[in-house]
Amino acid sequence: MSRGKFVERVLFLLALSSVSSLVIITVFIFLEGLPLIFHTGLKDFILSSHWAPTKGFFGIGAMIVSSLLVTLVAMVIGVPLGLACAIVLAEFCSETMRRLLKPTLELLAGIPSVVYGFLGVIWLVPLIRDHLGGPGLSLLAAAVILGIMILPTVISISIDALTAVPDIYREGSIALGATQWQTVRRVVLPAASSGIITAVILGMGRAIGETMAVIMVAGNAIKLPASILDPVRTLTSNIALELGYAAGRHREALFATGIVLFVIIMILNLSATLITRRR
Amino acid sequence: MAWRLDPRITQTLAKIVLWAFTGLTLLILIFIIVNISIKGLPQVTSAFLLQDPQDMGRHGGIFSTIVATIYLTLLAIALASPLGVGTAIYLTEYTREGWATRIIRFGAECLAGVPSIILGLFGFVLFVMKLGFGWSILSGSLTLAIMVLPIIIRTSEEAIKAVPQEYRQVCFSLGMSQWQTITRIVLPSALPGITTGIMLSVGRSLGETAVVLFTAGAALRTPASLFDSGRTMAVHFYILAREGLSMPNAYGTAAILMISILLINLVAYTLMQRLLRRYS
């Protein structure tokens, strides 16, 4: 075997590291969690909301609903904010301004999730408790924090999508007498729509998978929330709160919770990849 | 005829709303940074940095957590860098686009999307339990390495791609082999970008909590070997804040953590921009 061929083989093996990590992660999470799902039955596990692991009840229905609701409200907050930033940066601002704003906004991605959670507890939770009622630790608090945390994802992918739209489109529209805003709304945004949808989907993935910030502000009560001011426990919080002391079936149940989370995230990732490829 | 606003007025309104949202986002960012800095920086003294935590962190400093953070991060980066850079070289220099590259890229993208709590679960069951490493620096850094791998792959690939094709053609015309071209010309040219990926990974590891808590544990002693548990600054901050042990110490830890991550990210960003501008 020539030296070049040898190097290529080695590099190929290195390149397999990410795929094989992903496979191993999947295998281990499923191996640990599936026995419990078979034991309880998939239907009871997903649909029941009775979670009392020491008494043998493993139902994560309420947590699935809570995770989805928190994510949904987070998107309502994060997507308009993020999209607005992206449109301003890509369409309505000077080159110097962009050079200043873009790296500044990217700093949001560097702030650790525990810091977001901490500030949520210190500032946001009392604000909600005093002005809107409820215990403060709530679905709303988690959603606001997550809405802010997904901003970097939404902003950077949307900007890429907007700047990928050729300038000829904009020039054509302006030449027809449209204003800059009409151009953005009727021409640029539709042309960039698949990229923006990808941004939203990946933002959802981040929101539903976030753990530490959510534990700190969501209140962690195991029940179906009746309003956005109720405390909730998400799938991720459930794992993180109980993994420290769980054993036996209880631990398997946490891995099974992980399977549900993993499947949701993989569906989101897959659809993001498919949408990007179609473009 | 339906009543319609003059398009120029609509445009002004739209711009006001968009800029207001952008302003709000900036305000949130500034609020976070200023708030943590103002309350945290006064706590940061040389004693705070150089003393070990006492009484579960209620008193004393954060020295042992700094040491644990550095050990974990360095080891994770040392494990992930060769894998990540190797992957990037393979993807850019050795293959045409095909099923192999598509699978590798897809794997890296999916891995980037795996939430840290899933990685924590995985590291816990494989490294801590099955392989018997226990809650340790080794288990923690192995799991962190998997977490930062996609970041290193993506940035290195971008950096290597930015090196102009002419460089490679000149090398080949001089009779250099492909491996010589890569190690002597392509990699040195792409080095600032590769450094960016590594720095971003350092930033990501410093701030990570969920993975570290379940793989490296939370022991307050200074770790003396790879198999010792260690508490990183992020985990320490989380425990201080959540159990309400000491607000001043929590703020101090948060300030150091946040400011070092932001500085690292800022330098990383500048390096990459400079590289892209040089070759575009």
Side-chain angles (χ1 to χ4, degrees):
Chain A
M1 193 159 62
S2 76
R3 184 139 171 254
K5 206 76 199 146
F6 174 73
V7 169
E8 189 180 335
R9 287 273 166 81
V10 172
L11 286 173
F12 179 67
L13 286 179
L14 292 183
L16 288 180
S17 58
S18 57
V19 188
S20 41
S21 305
L22 189 69
V23 172
I24 298 176
I25 291 170
T26 319
V27 167
F28 271 96
I29 300 288
F30 275 79
L31 271 184
E32 293 294 309
L34 277 182
L36 181 105
I37 296 187
F38 288 135
H39 173 77
T40 348
L42 183 64
K43 207 175 115 218
D44 280 349
F45 183 63
I46 290 183
L47 296 181
S48 151
S49 290
H50 189 173
W51 175 266
T54 44
K55 299 193 189 84
F57 291 103
F58 305 102
I60 59 166
M63 299 168 206
I64 297 179
V65 174
S66 302
S67 268
L68 295 178
L69 283 177
V70 168
T71 306
L72 199 73
V73 182
M75 301 317 283
V76 172
I77 295 163
V79 170
L81 272 183
L83 199 52
C85 291
I87 294 176
V88 164
L89 281 171
E91 307 288 331
F92 292 126
C93 96
S94 63
E95 187 56 36
T96 31
M97 196 69 167
R98 181 179 315 157
R99 254 201 217 138
L100 195 73
L101 278 180
K102 203 170 169 232
T104 313
L105 285 174
E106 275 181 22
L107 290 182
L108 272 174
I111 293 170
S113 54
V114 270
V115 170
Y116 280 107
F118 179 63
L119 290 176
V121 174
I122 301 273
W123 293 94
L124 187 63
V125 168
L127 213 64
I128 292 176
R129 187 174 53 219
D130 297 343
H131 295 278
L132 299 172
L137 296 166
S138 57
L139 197 163
L140 181 64
V144 171
I145 295 294
L146 286 178
I148 297 170
M149 290 182 72
I150 60 166
L151 285 174
T153 312
V154 176
I155 294 175
S156 71
I157 302 174
S158 304
I159 287 185
D160 288 346
L162 290 172
T163 44
V165 176
D167 272 335
I168 308 171
Y169 287 28
R170 296 185 183 84
E171 287 155 11
S173 164
I174 301 279
L176 288 170
T179 64
Q180 221 185 340
W181 168 242
Q182 283 172 325
T183 307
V184 168
R185 202 165 74 94
R186 302 266 166 84
V187 180
V188 180
L189 283 180
S193 61
S194 68
I196 291 170
I197 293 172
T198 309
V200 173
I201 293 177
L202 292 179
M204 281 175 84
R206 275 226 56 192
I208 212 163
E210 175 53 43
T211 314
M212 302 321 276
V214 176
I215 291 191
M216 292 169 92
V217 298
N220 303 323
I222 310 169
K223 60 180 175 66
L224 283 169
S227 91
I228 56 171
L229 298 175
D230 280 356
V232 292
R233 180 185 289 201
T234 62
L235 294 168
T236 51
S237 329
N238 189 45
I239 302 172
L241 285 166
E242 301 190 359
L243 185 62
Y245 61 86
R249 284 260 179 249
H250 185 188
R251 181 184 287 161
E252 285 177 9
L254 298 181
F255 278 88
T257 315
I259 294 180
V260 174
L261 182 67
F262 195 73
V263 169
I264 297 176
I265 299 269
M266 281 304 139
I267 292 174
L268 289 175
N269 280 349
L270 261 174
S271 38
T273 314
L274 288 179
I275 289 169
T276 323
R277 194 168 301 157
R278 214 179 44 194
R279 184 168 48 152
Chain B
M1 198 178 102
W3 182 78
R4 286 184 63 179
L5 272 175
D6 187 313
R8 277 166 297 183
I9 299 179
T10 330
Q11 159 143 318
T12 317
L13 287 176
K15 276 193 183 174
I16 291 174
V17 172
L18 290 174
W19 274 103
F21 278 13
T22 312
L24 178 63
T25 308
L26 279 173
L27 270 181
I28 293 171
L29 174 70
I30 294 168
F31 173 81
I32 295 173
I33 297 177
V34 169
N35 189 272
I36 295 285
S37 305
I38 286 183
K39 297 224 171 142
L41 283 181
Q43 313 298 328
V44 181
T45 56
S46 57
F48 184 70
L49 292 174
L50 296 176
Q51 268 178 10
D52 277 339
Q54 281 151 20
D55 195 11
M56 299 303 289
R58 283 189 195 89
H59 306 287
I62 55 167
F63 183 70
S64 66
T65 68
I66 296 180
V67 175
T69 310
I70 293 176
Y71 282 169
L72 258 174
T73 309
L74 283 185
L75 191 55
I77 299 296
L79 290 166
S81 304
L83 293 175
V85 178
T87 307
I89 297 175
Y90 183 77
L91 285 175
T92 48
E93 306 288 320
Y94 277 92
T95 42
R96 288 174 193 290
E97 292 298 312
W99 63 269
T101 55
R102 229 179 289 154
I103 289 178
I104 292 168
R105 273 211 189 86
F106 180 71
E109 267 167 45
C110 281
L111 196 57
V114 173
S116 48
I117 187 69
I118 299 276
L119 286 174
L121 271 179
F122 163 72
F124 174 74
V125 65
L126 179 61
F127 302 128
V128 177
M129 310 292 296
K130 292 247 153 62
L131 294 178
F133 298 158
W135 280 302
S136 63
I137 298 289
L138 183 62
S139 307
S141 46
L142 282 166
T143 323
L144 280 181
I146 295 177
M147 183 185 79
V148 298
L149 188 58
I151 304 178
I152 299 186
I153 295 177
R154 197 185 309 139
T155 18
S156 308
E157 211 190 330
E158 201 184 330
I160 294 174
K161 270 190 186 154
V163 178
Q165 210 54 42
E166 290 84 6
Y167 284 32
R168 299 176 180 88
Q169 287 157 0
V170 169
C171 292
F172 292 142
S173 69
L174 289 173
M176 286 166 78
S177 72
Q178 189 170 19
W179 185 237
Q180 284 173 323
T181 308
I182 292 169
T183 48
R184 308 227 176 124
I185 303 296
V186 177
L187 284 185
S189 313
L191 194 62
I194 295 173
T195 316
T196 298
I198 291 176
M199 291 181 74
L200 289 176
S201 308
V202 172
R204 187 71 220 280
S205 312
L206 289 184
E208 182 54 44
T209 315
V211 166
V212 179
L213 188 57
F214 297 120
T215 53
L220 264 174
R221 278 175 295 106
T222 312
S225 88
L226 280 181
F227 295 98
D228 272 0
S229 165
R231 184 189 286 195
T232 65
M233 289 195 275
V235 172
H236 187 55
F237 167 65
Y238 170 72
I239 292 174
L240 286 182
R242 192 160 161 71
E243 296 178 5
L245 292 173
S246 160
M247 277 301 142
N249 282 2
Y251 268 114
T253 316
I256 297 178
L257 194 61
M258 187 188 69
I259 290 172
S260 36
I261 295 175
L262 292 185
L263 283 180
I264 288 172
N265 284 4
L266 214 56
V267 175
Y269 186 86
T270 324
L271 275 177
M272 193 61 158
Q273 287 307 309
R274 212 178 280 165
L275 174 82
L276 291 179
R277 220 173 300 148
R278 189 196 306 160
Y279 292 125
S280 65

